[in-house]
Amino acid sequence: MKNPKFKRRSVIILITVLSLVWIMPVIVTAQSDNLMNKEKIQAALDEAYSKFKDVKDGKNADYIKELAAVDSKIFGIVLITTDGQVFIKGDVSSMVSIQSVSKVFTMAKVIEEQGHQAVQDKIGVDATGMRFNSIVTIEERKGKEINPLVNPGAIAATSLISGADSAAKWKHILEVQSAFAGRALSLNMPVYISEAGDNLRNQAIAHLLLAYGRMYFDPVQSTDIYTKQCALNVNARDLATMAATLANGGVNPVTKKKVVSQETVMYTLPVMATAGLYDDSGIWFYNTGLPAKSGVGGGLLAVCPGKFGIAVVSPPLDDAGNSVKAQLVIKYVVEKLKVNPYLIQPR
């Protein structure tokens, strides 16, 4: 008669073998799918880069003298997933000034500090339908319903940032922009000096907002802080990290640090969707379904909620002020990976 312990051991071994036979194909398939996804992402970036690298359309912004001098051949793509995987193609080290992309993260900071209702009540969240630096909009609406992603609303948002003086407000803005990027960002001094010496229109906007009771700090100092904010140096990886932090519910997927709450992200993304690409915001959203923000420095980032953030740096802009190559690349990647949130697969 066989030993009962031997029988039990034999049964355990048999169960273990059968379990492995059943589980291993699942593990291999999961690993294969994961690898395939990684390969698909990198392939999409490689293809987009190759497809659009020779596009000659657009030109650098020249109303800010320093931007006209930026190398128009800079072209870099970065995609960062919500679990921290980084995919790169092209020049991701060359720096450009962040410009209007910064507006998103200052708005997020105001929402985080004062709540979403404060932004709706004190600035507005509706698209203006006017140019990003329109004064007409302020006059027609008496300073109301100007969203934080156009100049009037962005200057107002800057004035709402916590801090007893301009130094404290600037410190908080620099901290939040850097936290989103995952590293300490620095000021591009030549760009700042160039903009500060020629920002009379923005100063006029700030004073007109003050006349309607829609500025919440000194207008001259608020305009200066806003000008510094736009002159921060970033590369494509910085911008992709910032986008990925929004895609990850406010937690930076690279540093693993919580920057803002999920609720803040929830109220930030809709404004990006409706007003992120200046006059062409509706066209962009129609073609990609992704909240995004562009800057005249040549950067453009987009957020695929729960999946990834993607950014492209390429200085030549179209007539609306958006990077030509960046739009082409991100649209291509969205279509290639089939990640438009509105592409609903039937059950």
Side-chain angles (χ1 to χ4, degrees), residues 69-299:
V70 174
D71 183 0
S72 62
K73 295 179 182 178
I74 296 171
F75 182 32
I77 312 167
V78 180
L79 184 152
I80 300 179
T81 62
T82 52
D83 62 355
Q85 297 178 72
V86 181
F87 300 86
I88 292 171
K89 186 65 178 180
D91 182 351
V92 299
S93 59
S94 291
M95 298 288 183
V96 296
S97 55
I98 191 170
Q99 297 297 328
S100 287
V101 178
S102 64
K103 295 171 180 175
V104 169
F105 307 101
T106 296
M107 170 180 66
K109 180 67 170 175
V110 174
I111 294 172
E112 186 77 0
E113 290 179 344
Q114 301 190 31
H116 71 276
Q117 196 62 45
V119 171
Q120 184 168 340
D121 293 343
K122 295 181 178 181
I123 301 174
V125 293
D126 204 4
T128 65
M130 296 282 190
R131 292 287 291 175
F132 67 93
N133 60 353
S134 172
I135 292 176
V136 174
T137 303
I138 305 170
E139 190 66 28
E140 284 184 344
R141 303 183 183 187
K142 302 189 186 320
K144 297 180 179 179
E145 284 306 310
I146 47 170
N147 76 74
L149 300 188
V150 295
N151 288 17
I155 296 170
T158 298
S159 76
L160 280 169
I161 290 287
S162 64
D165 54 29
S166 61
K169 287 178 180 289
W170 168 240
K171 180 175 179 287
H172 290 154
I173 287 176
L174 183 57
E175 285 174 348
V176 76
Q177 304 278 340
S178 297
F180 269 103
R183 71 177 186 90
L185 299 180
S186 59
L187 194 62
N188 183 322
M189 192 57 70
V191 171
Y192 166 64
I193 292 171
S194 179
E195 289 194 67
D198 193 26
N199 66 357
L200 294 177
R201 188 179 185 88
N202 281 340
Q203 290 185 40
I205 285 171
H207 280 91
L208 188 55
L209 288 171
L210 181 67
Y212 284 117
R214 305 289 283 186
M215 279 294 293
Y216 309 98
F217 187 64
D218 179 82
V220 174
Q221 293 181 61
S222 295
T223 304
D224 184 62
I225 298 167
Y226 166 74
T227 304
K228 282 182 181 175
Q229 165 191 305
C230 291
L232 289 171
N233 257 346
V234 290
N235 56 37
R237 183 166 182 152
D238 295 327
L239 294 177
T241 306
M242 298 170 97
T245 302
L246 290 172
N248 197 38
V251 176
N252 188 313
V254 176
T255 65
K256 310 303 180 185
K257 292 181 179 178
K258 180 180 176 180
V259 183
V260 294
S261 68
Q262 291 175 310
E263 289 74 17
T264 289
V265 174
M266 181 174 70
Y267 287 104
T268 299
L269 295 181
V271 185
M272 294 173 65
T274 55
L277 266 74
Y278 305 120
D279 303 352
D280 285 351
S281 297
I283 295 171
W284 168 264
F285 199 63
Y286 180 80
N287 284 305
T288 66
L290 298 189
K293 187 69 191 83
S294 65
V296 294

